[in-house]
Amino acid sequence: YYCEHHKTESSLPVSGIHKQTEFQKLLPLLSIFALIFVLVGITMFIQNNFEIMNAMMLSMAYFFGVFGTFKVINLYNFVDAYMTYDILAMKSKTYAYLYPFVEIALGLMYFFYFGGVYRDIFTFILMSVGTIGVWNALKNKNEIPCACLGMVFKVPMTKVTLFENLFMAVMALSMVIAYLAMGNMAM
């Protein structure tokens, strides 16, 4: 029913008419992951560089670029949602406002292979801190929206969000280890 005076005993609330499955709720997020996967593949093909390090760099570049852009599109709502679970954003609204721009900057740094091991250490710390907030929200069974797509799409906080943060942290850490093993800090 749209309003109280149209309500009958057999009426369903408008929100109950289109119940979404978990898959349908996550479809925007999964579609963006698929898009990033395709973009990485196309870029690697154009570059004729199929090394794993290049794949990781491009994945990080597109991930941060795309997700950061979605956050900027709806910045105000992103900040409100992000402050409900991120441990740093809870303490600093300024951090919450800056976070999407940090992501975009990281995306550009990965895309242009700039910053080397220092960029990766920063990314590892950033994503690890984010993982803690997501973990706490899931552990406490908080039903909150995931701010990962800047609230442009209403995606619930799920284990997919946790995996996304952990995966990015692990990729950054593996790049740090690879750089240190090669003895090349500036790469």
Side-chain angles (χ1 to χ4, degrees), residues 132-143:
I132 294 168
V134 172
W135 171 259
N136 287 337
L138 292 174
K139 181 180 74 172
N140 296 330
K141 297 184 180 4
N142 296 345
E143 292 191 24

Side-chain angles (χ1 to χ4, degrees), residues 94-108:
T94 302
Y95 171 78
Y97 272 105
L98 289 175
Y99 186 82
F101 300 100
V102 169
E103 279 195 345
I104 292 170
L106 282 171
L108 291 170

Side-chain angles (χ1 to χ4, degrees), residues 129-170:
V129 168
T131 299
I132 294 168
V134 172
W135 171 259
N136 287 337
L138 292 174
K139 181 180 74 172
N140 296 330
K141 297 184 180 4
N142 296 345
E143 292 191 24
I144 56 176
C146 177
C148 55
L149 293 175
M151 303 306 293
V152 172
F153 297 102
K154 304 292 189 262
V155 178
M157 177 79 66
T158 65
K159 291 178 183 173
V160 173
T161 311
L162 181 65
F163 174 77
E164 163 197 329
N165 278 311
L166 278 172
F167 186 67
M168 298 296 285
V170 167

Side-chain angles (χ1 to χ4, degrees), residues 1 11-20:
Y1 53 90
S11 296
L12 290 175
V14 172
S15 62
I17 293 173
H18 301 290
K19 274 239 185 231
Q20 290 185 316

Side-chain angles (χ1 to χ4, degrees), residues 53-94:
M53 184 68 86
N54 190 45
M56 288 192 298
M57 297 274 281
L58 291 171
S59 296
M60 301 285 259
Y62 285 120
F63 174 88
F64 284 126
V66 170
F67 280 76
T69 301
F70 272 108
K71 290 172 177 99
V72 168
I73 289 171
N74 196 358
L75 188 60
Y76 179 76
N77 288 329
F78 161 76
V79 169
D80 283 346
Y82 195 53
M83 291 179 71
T84 63
Y85 66 89
D86 186 82
I87 60 175
L88 293 179
M90 286 179 192
K91 297 179 186 335
S92 170
K93 196 169 192 170
T94 302

